[in-house]
Coordinates of all heavy atoms in Angstrom, one line a residue:
M1 N 2.0 10.7 17.6 CA 1.3 9.7 17.0 C 0.5 10.3 15.8 O 0.5 9.7 14.7 CB 0.3 9.1 18.0 CG -0.3 7.9 17.4 SD 0.8 6.6 17.1 CE -0.2 5.2 17.1
K2 N -0.1 11.4 15.9 CA -0.8 12.1 14.9 C 0.1 12.5 13.7 O -0.2 12.3 12.6 CB -1.6 13.3 15.4 CG -2.5 14.0 14.4 CD -3.2 15.1 15.1 CE -4.1 15.8 14.1 NZ -4.8 16.9 14.7
Q3 N 1.3 13.0 14.1 CA 2.3 13.3 13.1 C 2.8 12.1 12.3 O 3.0 12.2 11.1 CB 3.5 14.1 13.7 CG 3.1 15.4 14.3 CD 4.3 16.0 15.0 OE1 5.1 15.3 15.5 NE2 4.3 17.4 15.1
H4 N 3.0 11.0 13.0 CA 3.4 9.8 12.4 C 2.4 9.3 11.3 O 2.7 8.9 10.2 CB 3.7 8.7 13.4 CG 4.9 8.9 14.1 ND1 5.5 7.9 14.9 CD2 5.8 9.9 14.2 CE1 6.6 8.4 15.5 NE2 6.8 9.6 15.1
F5 N 1.1 9.4 11.7 CA 0.0 8.9 10.8 C 0.0 9.8 9.6 O -0.2 9.4 8.5 CB -1.3 8.9 11.5 CG -2.4 8.4 10.7 CD1 -2.5 7.1 10.3 CD2 -3.4 9.2 10.2 CE1 -3.5 6.6 9.5 CE2 -4.5 8.8 9.4 CZ -4.5 7.4 9.1
G6 N 0.2 11.1 9.8 CA 0.2 12.1 8.7 C 1.4 11.8 7.8 O 1.3 11.9 6.5
A7 N 2.5 11.5 8.3 CA 3.7 11.1 7.5 C 3.5 9.9 6.8 O 3.9 9.8 5.6 CB 4.9 11.0 8.4
I8 N 2.8 8.9 7.4 CA 2.5 7.6 6.7 C 1.6 7.9 5.5 O 1.8 7.4 4.4 CB 2.0 6.6 7.7 CG1 3.1 6.1 8.6 CG2 1.4 5.4 6.9 CD1 2.6 5.3 9.8
L9 N 0.6 8.7 5.7 CA -0.3 9.0 4.6 C 0.4 9.8 3.5 O 0.1 9.6 2.3 CB -1.5 9.9 5.1 CG -2.5 9.1 6.0 CD1 -3.6 10.0 6.4 CD2 -3.1 7.9 5.2
L10 N 1.3 10.7 3.9 CA 2.1 11.4 2.9 C 2.9 10.4 2.1 O 3.1 10.6 0.9 CB 3.0 12.4 3.6 CG 3.8 13.3 2.7 CD1 2.9 14.2 1.9 CD2 4.7 14.2 3.5
F11 N 3.5 9.4 2.7 CA 4.2 8.4 2.0 C 3.3 7.6 1.0 O 3.7 7.2 -0.1 CB 4.9 7.4 3.0 CG 5.7 6.3 2.3 CD1 7.0 6.5 1.8 CD2 5.2 5.0 2.2 CE1 7.7 5.5 1.2 CE2 5.9 4.0 1.6 CZ 7.1 4.3 1.1
Y12 N 2.1 7.3 1.5 CA 1.2 6.5 0.7 C 0.6 7.2 -0.5 O 0.2 6.6 -1.5 CB 0.1 5.9 1.6 CG -0.9 5.0 1.0 CD1 -0.6 3.8 0.4 CD2 -2.3 5.4 0.9 CE1 -1.5 3.0 -0.2 CE2 -3.2 4.6 0.4 CZ -2.8 3.4 -0.2 OH -3.8 2.6 -0.8
K13 N 0.5 8.5 -0.4 CA -0.2 9.3 -1.4 C 0.2 9.1 -2.8 O -0.7 8.9 -3.7 CB 0.0 10.8 -1.0 CG -0.8 11.8 -1.9 CD -0.5 13.2 -1.4 CE -1.2 14.2 -2.3 NZ -0.9 15.6 -1.9
P14 N 1.5 8.9 -3.2 CA 1.8 8.7 -4.6 C 1.4 7.3 -5.1 O 1.3 7.1 -6.3 CB 3.4 8.8 -4.6 CG 3.8 9.4 -3.3 CD 2.7 9.2 -2.4
Y15 N 1.1 6.4 -4.1 CA 0.8 5.0 -4.5 C -0.7 4.8 -4.6 O -1.1 3.7 -4.9 CB 1.5 4.0 -3.6 CG 3.0 4.2 -3.5 CD1 3.6 4.8 -2.4 CD2 3.8 3.9 -4.6 CE1 5.0 5.0 -2.3 CE2 5.1 4.1 -4.6 CZ 5.7 4.7 -3.4 OH 7.1 4.9 -3.4
V16 N -1.5 5.7 -4.3 CA -3.0 5.6 -4.2 C -3.5 5.2 -5.6 O -4.3 4.3 -5.8 CB -3.7 6.8 -3.7 CG1 -5.2 6.7 -3.8 CG2 -3.3 7.0 -2.2
I17 N -3.0 5.9 -6.6 CA -3.5 5.7 -8.0 C -3.1 4.3 -8.5 O -3.9 3.6 -9.0 CB -2.9 6.8 -9.0 CG1 -3.4 8.1 -8.6 CG2 -3.3 6.4 -10.4 CD1 -4.9 8.4 -8.7
W18 N -1.9 3.9 -8.2 CA -1.4 2.5 -8.5 C -2.3 1.5 -7.8 O -2.6 0.5 -8.4 CB 0.1 2.4 -8.2 CG 0.9 3.1 -9.2 CD1 1.6 4.2 -8.9 CD2 1.1 2.8 -10.6 NE1 2.3 4.7 -10.1 CE2 2.0 3.8 -11.1 CE3 0.7 1.8 -11.4 CZ2 2.4 3.8 -12.4 CZ3 1.1 1.8 -12.8 CH2 1.9 2.8 -13.2
S19 N -2.6 1.8 -6.6 CA -3.4 0.8 -5.8 C -4.8 0.7 -6.4 O -5.3 -0.4 -6.4 CB -3.4 1.3 -4.3 OG -4.3 0.5 -3.6
F20 N -5.3 1.8 -6.8 CA -6.7 1.7 -7.4 C -6.6 1.0 -8.7 O -7.6 0.2 -9.0 CB -7.2 3.2 -7.6 CG -8.6 3.2 -8.1 CD1 -9.7 2.8 -7.2 CD2 -8.9 3.6 -9.3 CE1 -11.0 2.7 -7.7 CE2 -10.3 3.6 -9.8 CZ -11.3 3.2 -9.0
I21 N -5.6 1.1 -9.5 CA -5.5 0.4 -10.8 C -5.4 -1.1 -10.5 O -6.0 -1.9 -11.1 CB -4.3 0.9 -11.6 CG1 -4.6 2.3 -12.1 CG2 -4.0 0.0 -12.7 CD1 -3.4 3.0 -12.7
I22 N -4.6 -1.4 -9.5 CA -4.4 -2.8 -9.1 C -5.8 -3.4 -8.6 O -6.1 -4.5 -8.9 CB -3.3 -3.0 -8.0 CG1 -2.0 -2.7 -8.7 CG2 -3.3 -4.4 -7.4 CD1 -0.8 -2.5 -7.7
N23 N -6.5 -2.6 -7.8 CA -7.9 -3.0 -7.4 C -8.8 -3.3 -8.6 O -9.5 -4.3 -8.6 CB -8.5 -1.9 -6.5 CG -7.9 -1.9 -5.1 OD1 -7.3 -2.8 -4.7 ND2 -8.2 -0.8 -4.5
I24 N -8.7 -2.5 -9.6 CA -9.5 -2.8 -10.8 C -9.1 -4.1 -11.5 O -9.9 -4.9 -11.9 CB -9.4 -1.6 -11.8 CG1 -10.1 -0.4 -11.2 CG2 -10.1 -1.9 -13.1 CD1 -9.9 0.9 -11.9
V25 N -7.8 -4.3 -11.6 CA -7.3 -5.5 -12.2 C -7.7 -6.7 -11.3 O -8.2 -7.8 -11.9 CB -5.8 -5.5 -12.3 CG1 -5.2 -6.9 -12.7 CG2 -5.3 -4.4 -13.3
I26 N -7.6 -6.6 -10.0 CA -8.1 -7.7 -9.1 C -9.6 -8.0 -9.3 O -10.0 -9.1 -9.3 CB -7.7 -7.4 -7.7 CG1 -6.2 -7.5 -7.4 CG2 -8.5 -8.3 -6.7 CD1 -5.8 -7.0 -6.1
T27 N -10.3 -6.9 -9.5 CA -11.8 -7.1 -9.8 C -12.1 -7.9 -11.0 O -13.0 -8.8 -11.0 CB -12.5 -5.7 -9.9 OG1 -12.2 -4.9 -8.8 CG2 -13.9 -5.8 -10.1
F28 N -11.3 -7.7 -12.1 CA -11.5 -8.5 -13.3 C -11.0 -9.9 -13.2 O -11.5 -10.8 -13.7 CB -10.9 -7.8 -14.5 CG -11.7 -6.6 -14.9 CD1 -11.1 -5.3 -14.8 CD2 -13.0 -6.7 -15.4 CE1 -11.7 -4.2 -15.2 CE2 -13.7 -5.6 -15.7 CZ -13.1 -4.3 -15.7
V29 N -9.9 -10.1 -12.5 CA -9.2 -11.4 -12.4 C -9.9 -12.3 -11.4 O -10.3 -13.4 -11.7 CB -7.7 -11.3 -12.1 CG1 -7.1 -12.6 -11.8 CG2 -7.0 -10.5 -13.1
N30 N -10.0 -11.9 -10.1 CA -10.6 -12.7 -9.1 C -11.0 -11.7 -7.9 O -10.2 -11.4 -7.1 CB -9.6 -13.7 -8.5 CG -10.2 -14.7 -7.6 OD1 -11.4 -14.7 -7.3 ND2 -9.3 -15.5 -7.0
P31 N -12.3 -11.3 -7.9 CA -12.7 -10.4 -6.9 C -13.0 -10.9 -5.5 O -13.8 -10.5 -4.8 CB -13.9 -9.8 -7.5 CG -14.5 -10.8 -8.3 CD -13.3 -11.6 -8.8
Q32 N -12.2 -12.0 -5.1 CA -12.4 -12.6 -3.7 C -11.4 -11.8 -2.8 O -10.3 -11.4 -3.1 CB -12.0 -14.0 -3.8 CG -12.9 -14.8 -4.7 CD -14.4 -14.8 -4.4 OE1 -14.7 -14.8 -3.2 NE2 -15.3 -14.6 -5.4
I33 N -11.9 -11.7 -1.5 CA -11.1 -10.9 -0.5 C -9.8 -11.5 -0.2 O -8.7 -10.8 -0.2 CB -12.0 -10.7 0.7 CG1 -13.3 -10.0 0.4 CG2 -11.2 -10.0 1.8 CD1 -13.1 -8.5 0.1
I34 N -9.7 -12.8 0.1 CA -8.5 -13.4 0.6 C -7.4 -13.4 -0.5 O -6.3 -13.0 -0.2 CB -8.7 -14.9 1.1 CG1 -9.7 -14.8 2.3 CG2 -7.4 -15.6 1.5 CD1 -9.2 -14.0 3.5
P35 N -7.6 -13.8 -1.7 CA -6.6 -13.7 -2.7 C -6.2 -12.3 -3.0 O -5.0 -12.0 -3.3 CB -7.2 -14.3 -4.0 CG -8.3 -15.2 -3.5 CD -8.8 -14.6 -2.2
A36 N -7.1 -11.4 -2.9 CA -6.8 -9.9 -3.1 C -5.8 -9.4 -2.0 O -4.9 -8.7 -2.3 CB -8.0 -9.1 -3.1
I37 N -6.1 -9.9 -0.8 CA -5.2 -9.5 0.4 C -3.8 -10.0 0.2 O -2.8 -9.4 0.4 CB -5.8 -9.9 1.7 CG1 -7.1 -9.0 2.0 CG2 -4.8 -9.7 2.9 CD1 -7.9 -9.5 3.2
I38 N -3.8 -11.3 -0.2 CA -2.5 -11.9 -0.5 C -1.7 -11.2 -1.6 O -0.5 -11.0 -1.5 CB -2.6 -13.4 -0.8 CG1 -3.1 -14.1 0.5 CG2 -1.3 -14.1 -1.2 CD1 -3.6 -15.5 0.3
T39 N -2.4 -10.8 -2.6 CA -1.8 -10.1 -3.7 C -1.3 -8.7 -3.2 O -0.1 -8.3 -3.6 CB -2.8 -9.9 -4.9 OG1 -3.3 -11.1 -5.3 CG2 -2.2 -9.1 -6.0
K40 N -2.1 -8.0 -2.4 CA -1.6 -6.7 -1.9 C -0.4 -6.9 -1.0 O 0.5 -6.1 -1.0 CB -2.8 -6.0 -1.2 CG -3.9 -5.6 -2.1 CD -3.4 -4.4 -2.9 CE -4.6 -3.8 -3.6 NZ -4.4 -2.4 -3.9
L41 N -0.4 -8.0 -0.2 CA 0.8 -8.2 0.7 C 2.0 -8.5 -0.2 O 3.1 -7.9 0.1 CB 0.5 -9.5 1.6 CG 1.6 -9.9 2.5 CD1 2.0 -8.7 3.5 CD2 1.3 -11.1 3.2
F42 N 1.9 -9.3 -1.2 CA 3.0 -9.5 -2.1 C 3.5 -8.2 -2.7 O 4.7 -7.9 -2.8 CB 2.6 -10.5 -3.2 CG 3.7 -10.7 -4.2 CD1 4.9 -11.4 -4.0 CD2 3.5 -10.2 -5.5 CE1 5.8 -11.6 -4.9 CE2 4.5 -10.3 -6.5 CZ 5.6 -11.0 -6.2
L43 N 2.6 -7.4 -3.2 CA 3.0 -6.1 -3.9 C 3.6 -5.1 -2.9 O 4.5 -4.4 -3.2 CB 1.8 -5.5 -4.6 CG 1.3 -6.3 -5.8 CD1 0.0 -5.7 -6.3 CD2 2.3 -6.3 -6.9
T44 N 3.1 -5.2 -1.6 CA 3.7 -4.3 -0.6 C 5.2 -4.7 -0.3 O 6.0 -3.9 -0.2 CB 2.9 -4.3 0.7 OG1 1.5 -3.9 0.4 CG2 3.4 -3.4 1.7
I45 N 5.4 -6.0 -0.2 CA 6.7 -6.5 0.0 C 7.6 -6.2 -1.2 O 8.8 -5.8 -1.0 CB 6.7 -8.1 0.3 CG1 6.0 -8.3 1.6 CG2 8.1 -8.6 0.3 CD1 5.7 -9.8 1.9
L46 N 7.1 -6.3 -2.4 CA 7.8 -6.0 -3.6 C 8.2 -4.5 -3.6 O 9.3 -4.1 -3.9 CB 7.0 -6.3 -4.8 CG 7.7 -6.4 -6.1 CD1 8.8 -7.5 -6.1 CD2 6.7 -6.7 -7.2
L47 N 7.3 -3.6 -3.2 CA 7.5 -2.2 -3.1 C 8.6 -1.9 -2.1 O 9.5 -1.1 -2.4 CB 6.2 -1.4 -2.7 CG 6.4 0.1 -2.5 CD1 6.8 0.8 -3.8 CD2 5.1 0.6 -1.9
W48 N 8.5 -2.6 -0.9 CA 9.6 -2.4 0.1 C 10.9 -2.8 -0.5 O 11.9 -2.1 -0.3 CB 9.3 -3.2 1.3 CG 10.4 -3.3 2.3 CD1 10.7 -2.3 3.2 CD2 11.4 -4.3 2.4 NE1 11.9 -2.7 3.9 CE2 12.3 -3.9 3.4 CE3 11.6 -5.5 1.7 CZ2 13.4 -4.8 3.8 CZ3 12.6 -6.3 2.1 CH2 13.5 -5.9 3.1
Y49 N 11.0 -3.9 -1.2 CA 12.3 -4.4 -1.7 C 12.8 -3.4 -2.7 O 14.0 -3.0 -2.7 CB 12.1 -5.7 -2.4 CG 13.4 -6.2 -3.0 CD1 14.4 -6.7 -2.3 CD2 13.5 -6.2 -4.4 CE1 15.6 -7.2 -2.9 CE2 14.7 -6.6 -5.0 CZ 15.7 -7.1 -4.2 OH 16.9 -7.5 -4.8
F50 N 12.0 -2.9 -3.7 CA 12.5 -2.0 -4.7 C 12.9 -0.6 -4.1 O 13.9 0.0 -4.5 CB 11.4 -1.7 -5.7 CG 11.3 -2.8 -6.7 CD1 10.1 -3.3 -7.1 CD2 12.4 -3.4 -7.3 CE1 10.0 -4.3 -8.0 CE2 12.3 -4.4 -8.2 CZ 11.1 -4.9 -8.6
L51 N 12.2 -0.1 -3.1 CA 12.6 1.1 -2.5 C 13.8 1.0 -1.6 O 14.6 1.9 -1.6 CB 11.4 1.7 -1.6 CG 10.2 2.3 -2.3 CD1 9.2 2.7 -1.3 CD2 10.7 3.4 -3.2
N52 N 14.0 -0.2 -1.0 CA 15.2 -0.5 -0.2 C 16.4 -0.6 -1.1 O 17.5 -0.3 -0.6 CB 15.0 -1.7 0.6 CG 15.3 -1.5 2.1 OD1 15.5 -0.4 2.5 ND2 15.3 -2.6 2.8
E53 N 16.3 -1.1 -2.3 CA 17.4 -1.4 -3.2 C 17.7 -0.3 -4.2 O 18.6 -0.5 -5.0 CB 17.2 -2.7 -3.9 CG 17.1 -3.9 -2.9 CD 18.4 -4.1 -2.1 OE1 19.5 -3.9 -2.7 OE2 18.3 -4.4 -0.9
S54 N 16.9 0.8 -4.2 CA 17.1 1.8 -5.2 C 17.6 3.1 -4.6 O 17.8 3.2 -3.4 CB 15.8 2.0 -6.0 OG 14.9 2.6 -5.2
H55 N 17.6 4.1 -5.4 CA 18.0 5.5 -4.9 C 16.9 6.1 -4.0 O 17.2 7.1 -3.3 CB 18.4 6.4 -6.0 CG 19.6 6.0 -6.8 ND1 20.8 6.0 -6.2 CD2 19.7 5.5 -8.0 CE1 21.7 5.6 -7.1 NE2 21.1 5.2 -8.2
A56 N 15.8 5.5 -4.0 CA 14.7 6.0 -3.2 C 14.9 5.6 -1.7 O 14.1 6.0 -0.9 CB 13.3 5.4 -3.7
K57 N 16.0 4.9 -1.4 CA 16.3 4.6 -0.1 C 16.4 5.8 0.8 O 16.1 5.8 2.0 CB 17.5 3.8 0.0 CG 17.8 3.1 1.3 CD 19.0 2.2 1.2 CE 19.1 1.4 2.5 NZ 20.1 0.4 2.4
R58 N 16.8 6.9 0.2 CA 16.9 8.2 1.0 C 15.5 8.6 1.5 O 15.4 9.2 2.5 CB 17.5 9.3 0.1 CG 19.0 9.1 -0.1 CD 19.5 10.2 -1.0 NE 19.7 9.7 -2.3 CZ 19.5 10.3 -3.4 NH1 19.1 11.5 -3.5 NH2 19.8 9.6 -4.6
K59 N 14.5 8.3 0.7 CA 13.1 8.6 1.2 C 12.8 7.9 2.4 O 12.2 8.4 3.3 CB 12.2 8.3 0.0 CG 10.8 8.8 0.2 CD 10.0 8.5 -1.0 CE 8.6 9.2 -0.9 NZ 7.8 8.9 -2.1
L60 N 13.3 6.6 2.5 CA 13.0 5.8 3.7 C 13.8 6.3 4.9 O 13.3 6.2 6.0 CB 13.4 4.3 3.4 CG 12.5 3.6 2.4 CD1 13.0 2.2 2.3 CD2 11.0 3.6 2.9
N61 N 15.0 6.9 4.6 CA 15.8 7.5 5.7 C 15.0 8.7 6.4 O 15.1 8.9 7.6 CB 17.1 7.9 5.2 CG 18.1 6.8 5.0 OD1 17.9 5.7 5.6 ND2 19.0 7.0 4.1
F62 N 14.3 9.4 5.5 CA 13.5 10.5 6.1 C 12.5 10.0 7.1 O 12.4 10.6 8.2 CB 12.8 11.3 4.9 CG 11.8 12.3 5.4 CD1 12.2 13.5 5.9 CD2 10.4 12.0 5.3 CE1 11.3 14.4 6.3 CE2 9.5 12.9 5.7 CZ 9.9 14.2 6.3
Y63 N 11.8 9.0 6.8 CA 10.8 8.4 7.7 C 11.5 7.8 8.9 O 11.0 7.8 10.0 CB 9.9 7.4 7.0 CG 9.0 8.2 6.0 CD1 9.4 8.2 4.7 CD2 7.9 8.8 6.4 CE1 8.6 8.9 3.8 CE2 7.1 9.5 5.5 CZ 7.5 9.6 4.2 OH 6.7 10.3 3.3
R64 N 12.7 7.2 8.7 CA 13.4 6.6 9.9 C 13.8 7.7 10.8 O 13.8 7.6 12.0 CB 14.7 5.9 9.3 CG 14.9 4.6 10.0 CD 16.0 3.7 9.4 NE 15.5 3.0 8.3 CZ 16.0 3.0 7.1 NH1 17.2 3.7 6.9 NH2 15.5 2.4 6.1
N65 N 14.2 8.9 10.3 CA 14.6 10.0 11.1 C 13.4 10.6 11.9 O 13.6 11.2 13.0 CB 15.2 11.2 10.3 CG 16.6 10.8 9.8 OD1 17.2 9.9 10.3 ND2 17.0 11.4 8.7
L66 N 12.2 10.4 11.4 CA 11.0 10.8 12.1 C 10.6 9.8 13.2 O 9.7 10.0 13.9 CB 9.8 10.9 11.1 CG 9.8 12.1 10.2 CD1 8.7 12.0 9.2 CD2 9.8 13.4 10.9
G67 N 11.3 8.7 13.2 CA 11.0 7.7 14.2 C 10.0 6.6 13.7 O 9.4 5.9 14.5
I68 N 9.9 6.5 12.4 CA 9.0 5.5 11.8 C 9.9 4.4 11.2 O 10.6 4.7 10.2 CB 8.0 6.1 10.8 CG1 7.2 7.2 11.4 CG2 7.1 5.0 10.2 CD1 6.4 8.0 10.5
S69 N 9.8 3.2 11.7 CA 10.7 2.1 11.1 C 10.1 1.7 9.7 O 8.9 2.0 9.5 CB 10.7 1.0 12.0 OG 9.5 0.3 12.1
S70 N 10.9 1.1 8.9 CA 10.4 0.6 7.6 C 9.3 -0.4 7.8 O 8.3 -0.4 7.1 CB 11.5 -0.1 6.9 OG 12.5 0.9 6.5
L71 N 9.4 -1.3 8.8 CA 8.3 -2.3 9.1 C 7.0 -1.6 9.5 O 6.0 -2.0 8.9 CB 8.8 -3.2 10.2 CG 7.8 -4.3 10.6 CD1 7.5 -5.2 9.5 CD2 8.2 -5.0 11.9
R72 N 7.1 -0.6 10.3 CA 5.9 0.1 10.7 C 5.3 0.9 9.5 O 4.1 0.9 9.3 CB 6.2 1.1 11.8 CG 5.0 1.8 12.3 CD 5.3 2.6 13.5 NE 4.1 3.4 13.9 CZ 4.1 4.3 14.8 NH1 5.2 4.6 15.4 NH2 3.0 5.0 15.2
L73 N 6.1 1.5 8.7 CA 5.7 2.3 7.6 C 5.0 1.4 6.6 O 3.8 1.7 6.1 CB 6.9 3.0 6.9 CG 6.6 3.8 5.7 CD1 5.8 5.0 6.0 CD2 7.9 4.3 5.0
F74 N 5.6 0.3 6.2 CA 5.0 -0.6 5.2 C 3.8 -1.4 5.7 O 2.9 -1.7 5.0 CB 6.0 -1.5 4.5 CG 6.9 -0.7 3.6 CD1 8.1 -0.2 4.0 CD2 6.5 -0.5 2.3 CE1 8.9 0.5 3.1 CE2 7.2 0.2 1.4 CZ 8.4 0.7 1.8
S75 N 3.8 -1.8 7.0 CA 2.7 -2.5 7.5 C 1.5 -1.5 7.6 O 0.3 -1.9 7.4 CB 3.0 -3.1 8.9 OG 3.4 -2.1 9.8
S76 N 1.8 -0.3 7.9 CA 0.7 0.7 8.0 C 0.1 1.0 6.6 O -1.2 1.0 6.5 CB 1.2 2.0 8.6 OG 1.6 1.9 9.9
I77 N 0.9 1.1 5.6 CA 0.3 1.3 4.3 C -0.4 0.1 3.8 O -1.4 0.2 3.0 CB 1.3 1.9 3.2 CG1 2.4 0.9 2.9 CG2 1.9 3.2 3.6 CD1 3.2 1.2 1.7
F78 N 0.1 -1.1 4.2 CA -0.6 -2.3 3.8 C -2.0 -2.4 4.4 O -3.0 -2.7 3.8 CB 0.2 -3.6 4.2 CG -0.5 -4.8 4.1 CD1 -0.7 -5.4 2.8 CD2 -1.0 -5.5 5.2 CE1 -1.4 -6.6 2.6 CE2 -1.7 -6.7 5.0 CZ -1.9 -7.2 3.8
I79 N -2.1 -2.0 5.7 CA -3.4 -2.0 6.4 C -4.3 -1.0 5.8 O -5.5 -1.3 5.5 CB -3.2 -1.8 7.9 CG1 -2.5 -3.0 8.5 CG2 -4.5 -1.5 8.6 CD1 -2.0 -2.8 9.9
I80 N -3.8 0.2 5.5 CA -4.7 1.2 4.9 C -5.1 0.8 3.5 O -6.3 0.9 3.1 CB -3.9 2.6 4.8 CG1 -3.6 3.1 6.2 CG2 -4.6 3.6 3.9 CD1 -2.6 4.3 6.2
D81 N -4.2 0.2 2.7 CA -4.5 -0.2 1.4 C -5.5 -1.4 1.4 O -6.5 -1.4 0.6 CB -3.2 -0.7 0.7 CG -3.4 -0.8 -0.8 OD1 -4.1 0.0 -1.4 OD2 -2.7 -1.7 -1.4
V82 N -5.4 -2.3 2.3 CA -6.3 -3.4 2.4 C -7.7 -2.9 2.8 O -8.7 -3.4 2.3 CB -5.8 -4.5 3.4 CG1 -6.9 -5.5 3.8 CG2 -4.6 -5.3 2.7
L83 N -7.8 -2.0 3.8 CA -9.1 -1.4 4.2 C -9.8 -0.8 3.0 O -11.0 -1.0 2.8 CB -8.9 -0.5 5.3 CG -8.6 -1.1 6.7 CD1 -8.3 0.0 7.7 CD2 -9.7 -2.0 7.1
L84 N -9.0 0.0 2.2 CA -9.6 0.7 1.0 C -10.0 -0.4 0.0 O -11.1 -0.2 -0.6 CB -8.6 1.6 0.4 CG -8.3 2.9 1.2 CD1 -7.2 3.7 0.6 CD2 -9.6 3.7 1.4
M85 N -9.2 -1.4 -0.2 CA -9.6 -2.5 -1.1 C -10.8 -3.2 -0.7 O -11.6 -3.5 -1.5 CB -8.4 -3.4 -1.3 CG -8.6 -4.5 -2.3 SD -7.5 -5.9 -2.1 CE -7.6 -6.4 -0.5
I86 N -10.9 -3.5 0.6 CA -12.1 -4.3 1.0 C -13.4 -3.4 0.8 O -14.4 -4.0 0.4 CB -11.9 -4.7 2.5 CG1 -10.9 -5.8 2.6 CG2 -13.3 -5.1 3.1 CD1 -10.5 -6.2 4.0
I87 N -13.3 -2.2 1.1 CA -14.4 -1.3 0.9 C -14.8 -1.3 -0.6 O -15.9 -1.4 -1.0 CB -14.1 0.1 1.4 CG1 -14.1 0.1 2.9 CG2 -15.2 1.1 0.9 CD1 -13.5 1.4 3.5
Y88 N -13.8 -1.1 -1.5 CA -14.0 -1.1 -2.9 C -14.6 -2.4 -3.4 O -15.6 -2.4 -4.1 CB -12.6 -0.8 -3.6 CG -12.7 -1.1 -5.1 CD1 -13.2 -0.1 -6.0 CD2 -12.2 -2.2 -5.7 CE1 -13.3 -0.3 -7.3 CE2 -12.2 -2.5 -7.0 CZ -12.8 -1.5 -7.8 OH -12.9 -1.7 -9.2
L89 N -14.0 -3.6 -3.0 CA -14.5 -4.8 -3.5 C -15.9 -5.1 -2.9 O -16.7 -5.7 -3.6 CB -13.6 -6.0 -3.0 CG -12.3 -6.1 -3.8 CD1 -11.4 -7.2 -3.3 CD2 -12.5 -6.3 -5.3
S90 N -16.2 -4.7 -1.7 CA -17.5 -4.9 -1.2 C -18.6 -4.1 -2.0 O -19.7 -4.5 -2.2 CB -17.6 -4.5 0.3 OG -16.7 -5.3 1.1
F91 N -18.2 -2.9 -2.3 CA -19.1 -2.0 -3.1 C -19.2 -2.6 -4.6 O -20.3 -2.6 -5.1 CB -18.5 -0.6 -3.2 CG -19.3 0.3 -4.0 CD1 -20.5 0.8 -3.5 CD2 -18.9 0.8 -5.2 CE1 -21.3 1.7 -4.2 CE2 -19.7 1.6 -6.0 CZ -20.9 2.1 -5.5
I92 N -18.2 -3.0 -5.2 CA -18.2 -3.5 -6.5 C -18.9 -4.8 -6.7 O -19.6 -5.1 -7.7 CB -16.7 -3.6 -7.1 CG1 -16.3 -2.3 -7.7 CG2 -16.6 -4.7 -8.1 CD1 -17.1 -1.7 -8.7
K93 N -18.8 -5.7 -5.6 CA -19.5 -7.0 -5.7 C -21.0 -6.9 -5.8 O -21.7 -7.8 -6.3 CB -19.1 -7.8 -4.5 CG -17.8 -8.5 -4.6 CD -17.6 -9.4 -3.4 CE -16.3 -10.2 -3.6 NZ -16.1 -11.2 -2.5
V94 N -21.5 -5.8 -5.3 CA -23.0 -5.5 -5.5 C -23.4 -5.5 -6.9 O -24.5 -5.9 -7.3 CB -23.4 -4.2 -4.7 CG1 -24.8 -3.8 -5.0 CG2 -23.1 -4.3 -3.3
F95 N -22.5 -5.0 -7.8 CA -22.8 -4.8 -9.2 C -22.3 -5.9 -10.1 O -22.6 -5.9 -11.3 CB -22.1 -3.5 -9.7 CG -22.7 -2.3 -9.0 CD1 -21.9 -1.6 -8.0 CD2 -24.0 -1.8 -9.3 CE1 -22.4 -0.5 -7.4 CE2 -24.5 -0.7 -8.6 CZ -23.7 0.0 -7.6
I96 N -21.5 -6.8 -9.5 CA -21.0 -8.0 -10.3 C -22.0 -9.1 -10.3 O -22.6 -9.5 -9.4 CB -19.6 -8.4 -9.8 CG1 -18.6 -7.3 -10.1 CG2 -19.2 -9.7 -10.5 CD1 -17.2 -7.7 -9.6

């Protein structure tokens, strides 16, 4: 279980900067929690689709060989991303 979580974090690592940029955009457009979660869900599904349909599919095979399904991988990064976003938006709302 600990190795799976580490592998999921390793998969999420390249997307952290993009996630933070999206958080900033969400802050300017509509800093409400529910629309932001829906936006993140849409972007996570879009990421899954692009990775599944491109040459990066080999990367998903690596995680499948570790015993992590695509559904578990993307739902885990969605949950991690939403938790970070909620913390960010809660902190930023103090200053808005």
